[in-house]
Amino acid sequence: MTPPASATPPTRAIGGTAPSPATARRPAAGPANDRPAGQPGATAASPRGGLLRHRDFRLLWAGQTASAVGSNVTAVALPLVAVTVLDASTFGVAALTAAAWLPWLLVGLPAGAWVDRLPRRPVMIACDLVSALLFLSVPVAAALGVLTVPQLLVVALGAGLARVFFETADQVYLPVLLRPEQVPEGNAKLQATQTASYVLGPGLAGVVAQVAGAVTALLLDALSFLFSAACLLRIRTVEPRPERVGPSRSLRREIGEGIRFVARDPYLRVLTAFGAASNVGLVGYQAVLVVFLVREARLAPAPVGLLVAAMSLGGIVGALSATRLGRRLGTARAMLLAAAFTGPPALLIPLAGPGGRLALPAIGGMLVSLGVAVGNVLKGSFRQTYTPHHLLGRVTVSMHMLNYGTIPLAAVLAGAVGAAHGAGTAIAVMTGWLALTPAILLIGPLRRRRDLPVAPKRP
């Protein structure tokens, strides 16, 4: 599956995708980037060889990679369980995607303020453990003969709730683990393996589902969460206490501060609007894609997984080339180019058919995933270095709430259209909308710049 066009690079999600940690480390030879010791970004200077020789980043990277592969196994395996084991309706399958993303609407805003008050690594470890238990419950229930669609919905909702806190804490922690100049490289590496997981995960899910059953494939995701938690426990970086600016304030006031920062900033505002609009089409078609391929294109589980994997191949190229494109073309221009790939090529996806026509969704999906990967790396790095650090959790979650808050609505809409007119029609409607969304970026100041700014203008 292609990750949502979001304000962040690596993401975990069920049926749609997204994408950090910390304890004692030898002090740096000098302050990083002229920041005082103990402040975000004041970690040890990067060893020669770049982030590949950065021990703590390698642990973070390994955990995120295993977790991403597991999540993308689930992205195909969970709908396959619903379709092939429980004979769920098109609307029921789409509801799994809606449930996974609904927590962004329910608790997204307070989660950002809470994360800004808490140490991030313990939050992420707890989220990993909760998610592992949720996914383990599915094969257990299946073995006992009591598995139902409502249980799958509860698992999707609970894992989505854990993801809200994990992803917000993860995004705030990365600039603590790395120096500011390392953040783009870190995001690019995380996005590259995240995107590679969109190729490996679905293909693996299809093969395992064909050989051992779709329920068995969900065990891989549970194990990946446990591996991620183990990696987080081994990271040595000492995380400074969350900053408190000014006197203690109410949760509502802190939430409002993050929303106002996004609403008033001309760059963050337009990027958030673009992400929200494009996710309607992107995740809308993905919510019914497995139903379309199984019931209308008549594909077996293994070919379904392989086709979804092929559609994600472009994302690997996009993630690996995003930083280079940003330097060569300028970050603002590269973002506009990425948006052009994200939209119109999606029109090839509903043209899928038997035989050679399966190449059309593969090509369309490759181009879309390329554009999304480039855009996510550039947007994530921009937000993490541009936003004042004490606001980063609230700004991140404010953007995510709008970016991801449209996803449950998109999934429900796609499911309703699919139930009434067929999954193929639903995909055509959603990809048609996605093709129009890049025009949103032309409304703001991006079209007039070569590069995105490094800091907000002072009033």
Side-chain angles (χ1 to χ4, degrees):
M1 295 288 185
T2 302
S6 67
T8 175
T11 55
R12 290 189 62 103
I14 304 164
T17 86
S20 290
T23 134
R25 173 180 173 155
R26 185 168 300 183
N33 209 35
D34 297 325
R35 297 190 190 197
Q39 293 300 311
T43 58
S46 177
R48 291 179 182 177
L51 294 184
L52 292 177
R53 298 192 62 179
H54 190 304
R55 178 190 179 276
D56 286 353
F57 179 78
R58 287 201 315 270
L59 285 168
L60 169 64
W61 195 11
Q64 294 274 21
T65 299
S67 184
V69 171
S71 287
N72 284 290
V73 167
T74 296
V76 171
L78 200 66
L80 281 175
V81 169
V83 172
T84 63
V85 178
L86 301 176
D87 196 29
S89 65
T90 300
F91 186 83
V93 175
L96 292 173
T97 300
W101 294 95
L102 185 60
W104 285 104
L105 284 175
L106 298 180
V107 299
L109 289 176
W114 287 327
V115 165
D116 274 343
R117 297 177 174 186
L118 298 170
R120 284 81 187 202
R121 188 179 67 149
V123 170
M124 291 184 286
I125 293 171
C127 290
D128 274 340
L129 295 177
V130 168
S131 298
L133 290 174
L134 285 167
F135 283 109
L136 282 172
S137 74
V138 176
V140 170
L144 296 174
V146 294
L147 182 63
T148 62
V149 172
Q151 180 180 343
L152 295 184
L153 289 169
V154 170
V155 169
L157 182 66
L161 182 63
R163 176 178 177 262
V164 170
F165 287 92
F166 184 98
E167 185 173 313
T168 303
D170 178 33
Q171 288 297 298
V172 176
Y173 187 77
L174 187 65
V176 174
L177 190 65
L178 302 179
R179 294 161 58 97
E181 63 270 20
Q182 295 174 317
V183 169
E185 181 188 352
N187 276 331
K189 283 181 165 55
L190 289 168
Q191 181 72 51
T193 50
Q194 174 76 18
T195 307
S197 75
Y198 292 111
V199 178
L200 178 59
L204 185 60
V207 172
V208 173
Q210 187 92 34
V211 173
V215 171
T216 303
L218 293 178
L219 282 171
L220 295 176
D221 198 15
L223 293 174
S224 76
F225 279 109
L226 294 176
F227 182 80
S228 175
C231 288
L232 293 175
L233 283 168
R234 295 189 60 206
I235 289 179
R236 297 173 180 170
T237 300
V238 177
E239 181 181 359
R241 290 186 178 184
E243 292 182 53
R244 303 297 301 171
V245 178
S248 179
R249 292 171 294 173
S250 70
L251 185 65
R252 180 180 300 179
R253 186 170 296 179
E254 291 191 359
I255 291 171
E257 189 175 7
I259 294 174
R260 285 191 298 273
F261 187 88
V262 174
R264 292 171 180 172
D265 187 89
Y267 298 95
L268 298 179
R269 184 172 62 229
V270 74
L271 291 175
T272 302
F274 169 67
S278 59
N279 279 339
V280 171
L282 186 67
V283 181
Y285 87 72
Q286 290 180 357
V288 295
L289 182 61
V290 170
V291 179
F292 171 65
L293 295 175
V294 171
R295 291 182 176 162
E296 298 188 21
R298 303 293 180 186
L299 297 183
V304 168
L306 293 174
L307 178 58
V308 174
M311 295 172 71
S312 304
L313 281 170
I316 300 176
V317 177
L320 293 174
S321 61
T323 304
R324 187 178 306 165
L325 279 174
R327 285 196 300 262
R328 179 167 297 182
L329 302 179
T331 51
R333 292 175 183 173
M335 195 170 293
L336 291 174
L337 179 64
F341 279 98
T342 301
L347 296 174
L348 294 172
I349 295 171
L351 301 179
R357 288 177 62 189
L358 287 178
L360 295 174
I363 294 170
M366 286 180 194
L367 294 175
V368 170
S369 63
L370 186 152
V372 170
V374 171
N376 280 353
V377 169
L378 295 173
K379 285 183 284 187
S381 299
F382 168 64
R383 192 198 65 254
Q384 287 171 317
T385 56
Y386 175 83
T387 306
H389 193 77
H390 71 279
L391 283 173
L392 186 52
R394 282 164 283 168
V395 167
T396 296
V397 84
S398 296
M399 296 179 73
H400 282 359
M401 191 201 72
L402 294 172
N403 272 234
Y404 298 158
T406 59
I407 291 177
L409 306 178
V412 170
L413 177 60
V417 174
H421 304 288
T425 301
I427 289 178
V429 170
M430 292 299 167
T431 53
W433 169 261
L434 181 60
L436 299 174
T437 56
I440 294 173
L441 291 182
L442 300 177
I443 298 172
L446 269 73
R447 69 183 190 277
R448 298 189 296 269
R449 296 188 63 104
R450 182 187 185 277
D451 288 291
L452 291 164
V454 296
K457 284 186 177 180
R458 295 186 179 276

